[in-house]
Structure formats: structure tokens, C-alpha cells
Amino acid sequence: MRTLQEPRGWPFVVGAAILKPLFFLTTKPHWVDGTKIPATGGCVLVINHLSHVDPLTAAHFCYDHGRLPRYLAKSGLFRNRVLGHFLRSARQIPVERASSTAVGAYDAAVAAVRAGECVVVYPEGTITRDPDLWPMRGKTGAARIALETGCPVIPIGQWGAQELLPPYSTKPRPIPRKTIHVLVGDPVDLADLEGRPRSAATLTEATERIMAAITALVEEVRGERAPAERFDPRRAGVAELGNPHGDERSAS
């Protein structure tokens, strides 16, 4: 645990007042090595994606370790007057998928990191489609942000959120309380790639390093070995379903 250093603002005050008691009643957090997240300064947290509840559990984790998370959030959420006001006040980043404004979301994420923010990205782009919920093939958005800014990329492996809210489900299972395991790793080393042109090969290599680091952490929290080959939904002919929070598809 670490004390929050930056001003919370009313959205995080309200959110913490509502969510922390709710999580206390429904989950048992098992946080490991959270102090590996930089206490200050711009950084990108990269996390495997299991459930629609992930952004809330990640926010709880970040808040408990002294950082306020910024997400790439589906632009449609901002069109609701109340929710949109809340998200803008919390400085979340709207994403227009499959449109020319997707570049604006990337620019906004880069600007947030350069301003010292903690940006959370789910590199898979959506909840994993792997049949056994292992991290699947990653997209390049997190790598692009990291290589552009030179910021630390902190890999995180999590497990247990899928028990609270199964993948792609809208029906939570709050009883009994679910243990949420979160393990933070050392920064992903991308230093040798920062001076290279932003070619497809460079971005693919950076993304593979990020996904390998995340997968190793998930293996540790699960106590199992991941498949030798990462699941690729396109190759498997599986549709990728959208996710309203932390979706980096438009930045890939």
C-alpha cells in the first residue's frame, strides 16, 4: 500500500466512497509488488483482460498504491450527460473506434503520460478469447505509447476477476467473496527499440515483449504454464467483441 500523492478530485472521492465498501463485501484483494508501480511520473500499466469488471478492480489496485488511473474509454460513454461529466472530470480519454479520431486518442494518451499520468492499457484490446483465459495476441497501442514517450511500461498479471463477473457476462457472482490476485512485474525493457524507426517489426517486437512479461506473471498467479503459442482470434476465426473500458484497438 502507498499513500496517494496527487489530488484526487471529486470523481475519485465519490468513486472510492462507493466502490471500496462494495469491493470489501465482494472481494479479497491479494496485491503483490504494487510498489513496483512508479510513485510519480508518467507510466503505462499493461494488464491482461478477463472481465468487464477489470477496470474497476484495476482502479482499486492503483488507488491503493498511490496512483490515479487514466483509461482509454469508448467515446459513447461520454455522450451520456451524467457519466460523460464524471469521466471528463476524472480525465479519462475518449476513443472513437475505427475512425480518423483514433489518432487523437493515441495523442491524448501520449500527452497524459508526458504530463505525469498513469495510463492503464489492456494490450489484448478486449477480454481474452483464449478458451482457458490466457493472455492472447496483443495489439501495438501500448508499445507505440511507450516508444514515443520512453516511459516505464509496468506489466501486471491478474486472476480472479472472472469469478466475480465472468467474461462477457453482465451477471456478477458476488457470493462468496472472490480473491482478486494482482502481481506486478519489473518494467519491460524496450530501451534498445526506442531509437529504431516505428516499423511494424519494431512495434511487433515491443508488443511481444510486453505480452510475454504479462503472461509470465499470469503463470505465476495461476500456478500453471501458458500454452506455447499465444491465442490469435483472427487466425482462429473468432470475433473480437468490444469492450467499453481500456480498449486500445483504435491505437493499434
Side-chain angles (χ1 to χ4, degrees), residues 46-47 123 139-140 142-144 146 153 155 188 190 205-215 230:
V46 286
I47 312 176
K139 298 181 181 296
T140 61
R144 291 176 60 203
V153 180
V188 181
L190 302 177
E205 171 64 22
T207 300
E208 179 52 34
R209 292 185 194 180
I210 289 169
M211 294 310 303
I214 294 171
T215 302
R230 227 178 305 286

Side-chain angles (χ1 to χ4, degrees), residues 125-196:
T126 189
I127 294 170
T128 182
R129 302 292 283 171
D130 182 273
D132 295 316
L133 302 183
W134 288 103
M136 62 180 182
R137 181 178 179 270
K139 298 181 181 296
T140 61
R144 291 176 60 203
I145 295 166
L147 293 177
E148 180 65 26
T149 62
C151 73
V153 180
I154 311 299
I156 298 176
Q158 59 126 353
W159 187 247
Q162 78 284 354
E163 299 294 335
L164 179 62
L165 183 65
Y168 297 105
S169 173
T170 57
K171 296 180 179 180
R173 300 173 179 173
I175 300 173
R177 292 169 69 196
K178 307 301 189 294
T179 300
I180 308 297
H181 301 272
V182 177
L183 174 62
V184 183
D186 295 320
V188 181
D189 186 3
L190 302 177
D192 61 310
L193 303 179
E194 290 178 4
R196 295 187 191 178

Side-chain angles (χ1 to χ4, degrees), residues 82-136:
V82 176
L83 181 58
H85 178 60
F86 181 90
L87 292 172
R88 290 186 188 91
S89 298
R91 303 203 302 277
Q92 304 308 315
I93 303 168
V95 174
E96 291 280 358
R97 296 177 187 165
S99 74
S100 60
T101 56
V103 176
Y106 163 76
D107 290 341
V110 167
V113 170
R114 286 177 171 160
E117 304 278 15
C118 175
V119 175
V120 177
V121 177
Y122 295 96
E124 295 159 275
T126 189
I127 294 170
T128 182
R129 302 292 283 171
D130 182 273
D132 295 316
L133 302 183
W134 288 103
M136 62 180 182

Side-chain angles (χ1 to χ4, degrees), residues 37-85:
I37 296 174
T40 60
C43 61
V44 173
L45 308 187
V46 286
I47 312 176
N48 62 303
H49 208 347
L50 298 168
S51 165
H52 285 311
V53 80
D54 286 348
L56 299 180
T57 56
H60 184 197
F61 176 78
C62 291
Y63 191 91
D64 278 356
H65 291 88
R67 298 305 301 261
L68 299 179
R70 314 298 178 195
Y71 294 100
L72 303 177
K74 184 179 177 181
S75 62
L77 298 175
F78 290 77
R79 297 189 185 108
N80 179 285
R81 290 183 61 184
V82 176
L83 181 58
H85 178 60

